[in-house]
Amino acid sequence: MGKASERAFVGICVLVAGLAAADLRAQQGACEVRGSAKDGSKKGIAGVRITLTNTKQANLTYSRETDKRGDFWFSGVAYHEAAREWRLSAEKEGFVPLRARVEIRASDKTLVQEFETNLGRDNPAVEFPVRAFGDVRVDVTLVAESEVAAAPPPAAAPAGEAAADPFAQALESARRGDLEGSVRFFEAAVEAAPDDPERREAFAKVLYRLDRVAEAEAQAGRAVAAAPERASAHLLHGDLLAAQREYARAAEAFARVRSLEPDNVGVLERMAWLANETGKLDEAIAANEAIVARVPEKAEAWAALGDLYSRKGRPDRAEQAYRKVVEIDPKNAYKTFFNIGVLIESRSRLTDEDNRKAIEAFRKAIEIEPAYAPAHRHLAYALLRAGDLEGAKGEFSSYLRLAPDAADAAEIRAMLESLGPAAKSPTK
């Protein structure tokens, strides 16, 4: 084999390996984790060290400091079905984390779970699951050490009261982060008051965070039976049914919540996600349209509508929805278009038309923010799938220029070396 033929052969092998790697990443998925660190007056705190660590694979760790507005963002966070739980901590000298609020969204950006938890010196981190190609927002509140030191201790309960109230003990144990230890108190609490839906709901949430989903769903079901007109019980029950892929029963639970609280945007988001998950695109469109009718500035719902309209063959409506996203959130519009591209290319059966739409989305992200390295990388792989080798080489070169120390930099350099010089106009 001559050198030219050998070089071409190596190039093809590396190209195939790169595409296989891209397919593997698509199967495993990736997600985005973003949020803020603020003080008690809602003012952003710059320079807070945010560390994100997988609870099953400690080597999967991301870390960065908040910007001047107190915001942080991790893109391309690894996802695997066997390691979907993550732990996030917020640290800054002179501050103590007080509480965290978590919102977990699916790949189409609809809300599937939300919760708030207390933090402290002994419990400085919050844990949460992620969804493939999903989105998690974590807002952490921190207070100055001096404020913690100056705060008066909580009033002591009357003698014997704490011991007599297992529900209070359960909540306190969970607040400290001892979820396993709280279970025995919750069991005593629901035995003492079996018809109290609040106790059942709280217990269900703890069981879910312990990955005891079937037990959590049973507790939520008993909360519904105890208080059939309690919307929060139906909502939680629906979430837990959906987590077990019992989609028909989950849809019934969400429909019940909507009948009780017609303006509850949270249940509309869940209905939109569920409809999309089960391929009922018209229902997903209706739910997202109901969301933007109530909250016109909901960028996530407009982004979901853009994708849904496109999939239904309504390009004009899709373009209007995407323009609305840019209008609402121009600062982060490039992230929205990047996420749209990732969402499209994650489809199990990616068609040539899907790939073309992904290319358009990544190019739009780069047009808005040329220095956003992940968009160049994803665009390069999309161009490879389309057979545009010159364009792909240019985008890989741009990616390496912007992110020379990226984890896959060596892989990309080897690919470029085997395929030859990069094109001069990578993003035209």
Side-chain angles (χ1 to χ4, degrees):
M1 183 182 293
K3 287 189 176 180
S5 298
E6 183 179 352
R7 182 181 182 84
F9 177 75
V10 172
I12 292 171
C13 289
V14 175
L15 171 60
V16 171
L19 289 172
D23 289 342
L24 179 59
R25 280 187 285 269
Q27 291 167 13
Q28 292 181 333
C31 72
E32 174 180 307
V33 177
R34 58 195 170 93
S36 66
K38 297 182 178 180
D39 61 19
S41 62
K42 305 296 184 183
K43 181 180 178 181
I45 306 174
V48 177
R49 173 58 59 179
I50 304 294
T51 303
L52 186 63
T53 305
N54 190 276
T55 59
K56 298 275 182 71
Q57 300 179 24
N59 61 312
L60 287 179
T61 298
Y62 305 82
S63 184
R64 66 182 50 185
E65 291 188 351
T66 55
D67 62 20
K68 62 183 179 181
R69 295 181 298 275
D71 295 332
F72 64 88
W73 183 51
F74 300 96
S75 66
V77 175
Y79 170 88
H80 193 281
E81 186 63 33
R84 60 190 183 91
E85 292 281 341
W86 290 81
R87 178 184 298 110
L88 183 143
S89 63
E91 299 173 288
K92 183 177 176 66
E93 187 174 354
F95 286 84
V96 175
L98 184 65
R99 61 181 172 272
R101 187 176 187 281
V102 180
E103 291 183 358
I104 302 169
R105 297 180 181 275
S107 58
D108 65 351
K109 305 308 174 190
T110 53
L111 185 68
V112 293
Q113 186 186 357
E114 60 183 329
F115 64 90
E116 190 166 324
T117 187
N118 292 325
L119 305 176
R121 290 191 185 93
D122 299 329
N123 180 36
V126 57
E127 293 185 7
F128 50 85
V130 300
R131 296 287 187 111
F133 301 103
D135 178 298
V136 179
R137 181 173 185 90
V138 183
D139 293 311
V140 183
T141 301
L142 300 96
V143 294
E145 286 271 11
S146 57
E147 294 181 41
V148 176
E161 182 177 309
D165 186 1
F167 187 43
Q169 290 177 295
L171 294 176
E172 175 60 22
S173 182
R175 185 196 68 78
R176 294 196 312 269
D178 183 12
L179 300 184
E180 290 283 1
S182 72
V183 170
R184 63 189 180 93
F185 295 120
F186 273 116
E187 289 173 341
V190 297
E191 183 178 354
D195 294 327
D196 184 340
E198 184 180 357
R199 297 183 179 211
R200 298 280 187 186
E201 287 182 40
F203 191 16
K205 291 175 182 178
V206 165
L207 288 169
Y208 178 75
R209 291 180 64 190
L210 290 170
D211 207 25
R212 294 163 62 173
V213 183
E215 295 173 71
E217 185 265 312
Q219 289 296 330
R222 293 188 180 102
V224 168
E229 300 305 310
R230 185 178 170 93
S232 62
H234 288 284
L235 192 62
L236 178 60
H237 194 214
D239 286 342
L240 294 166
L241 288 167
Q244 297 182 94
R245 292 185 171 85
E246 293 191 38
Y247 294 143
R249 293 178 63 200
E252 292 176 2
F254 295 149
R256 180 59 176 160
V257 177
R258 194 176 184 191
S259 70
L260 294 169
E261 298 182 350
D263 294 324
N264 186 325
V265 173
V267 76
L268 287 172
E269 291 181 313
R270 288 162 168 85
M271 293 174 77
W273 167 78
L274 187 57
N276 187 65
E277 190 78 2
T278 53
K280 299 176 181 178
L281 301 190
D282 289 332
E283 292 183 20
I285 288 173
N288 278 297
E289 287 178 339
I291 292 169
V292 297
R294 289 164 174 76
V295 189
E297 303 304 300
K298 197 77 169 177
E300 294 89 353
W302 284 112
L305 280 171
D307 178 61
L308 289 164
Y309 288 143
S310 179
R311 291 162 67 184
K312 290 289 291 183
R314 300 160 70 179
D316 293 343
R317 296 294 298 274
E319 180 64 22
Q320 291 173 11
Y322 289 145
R323 288 184 183 278
K324 190 69 176 177
V325 172
V326 177
E327 175 189 323
I328 292 169
D329 191 14
K331 177 173 69 73
N332 294 308
Y334 71 95
K335 298 178 189 176
T336 299
F337 282 105
F338 172 73
N339 287 333
I340 289 168
V342 172
L343 175 63
I344 292 171
E345 69 179 5
S346 71
R347 292 173 185 166
S348 57
R349 295 184 178 180
L350 186 68
T351 65
D352 290 342
E353 179 62 16
D354 288 336
N355 196 55
R356 185 187 64 76
K357 291 176 182 177
I359 289 172
E360 291 176 359
F362 294 135
R363 281 184 167 150
K364 186 65 177 177
I366 292 169
E367 178 185 330
I368 298 170
E369 179 48 80
Y372 185 49
H376 289 279
R377 176 181 171 281
H378 279 258
L379 176 56
Y381 278 115
L383 290 171
L384 282 180
R385 289 193 294 267
D388 183 357
L389 301 187
E390 290 302 315
K393 287 187 286 186
E395 293 302 330
F396 280 133
S397 294
S398 295
Y399 173 65
L400 290 173
R401 174 175 52 81
L402 294 166
D405 299 322
D408 61 350
E411 169 193 329
I412 302 301
R413 289 192 184 96
M415 184 182 296
L416 280 173
E417 184 178 350
S418 66
L419 295 177
K424 293 182 179 179
S425 302
T427 59
K428 66 180 182 178

